[in-house]
Amino acid sequence: MRTPPPPSAPVDLMGSCRSFGEYGPVYQVTGKVSGHKVHVVVMETGEELDYPIEQAAQDPVAL
C-alpha cells in the first residue's frame, strides 16, 4: 500500500509566507530539510527553525 503525499508538497511551500496558526507570527519557508520538515525564518525575529511540512501546509497564508 502506498503512503499518500503530504497535503502540500514542499515545492508549493517554498518562498511562501505563512503564520503560525491564525494569530501567530509570520514566517517564510526557505528550504526543504527532509521529507517531513522545511526550514523557516520567523520574519519578526529572524529566528530560523525546522518545521513540519504538514503543519506549514495547514498554516494560513500571510497577506
Side-chain angles (χ1 to χ4, degrees), residues 4-49:
S8 179
V11 70
D12 296 334
L13 296 171
M14 289 308 137
S16 68
C17 291
R18 298 176 174 268
S19 63
F20 293 107
E22 192 172 339
Y23 301 107
V26 174
Y27 65 89
Q28 182 177 27
V29 179
T30 60
K32 180 180 175 183
V33 175
S34 68
H36 300 288
K37 293 196 176 193
V38 290
H39 191 77
V40 304
V41 177
V42 181
M43 304 302 281
E44 189 174 308
T45 64
E47 178 183 4
E48 298 185 26
L49 56 109

Side-chain angles (χ1 to χ4, degrees), residues 50-61:
D50 297 338
Y51 193 59
I53 291 172
E54 285 188 33
Q55 186 60 52
Q58 293 175 17
D59 283 340
V61 175

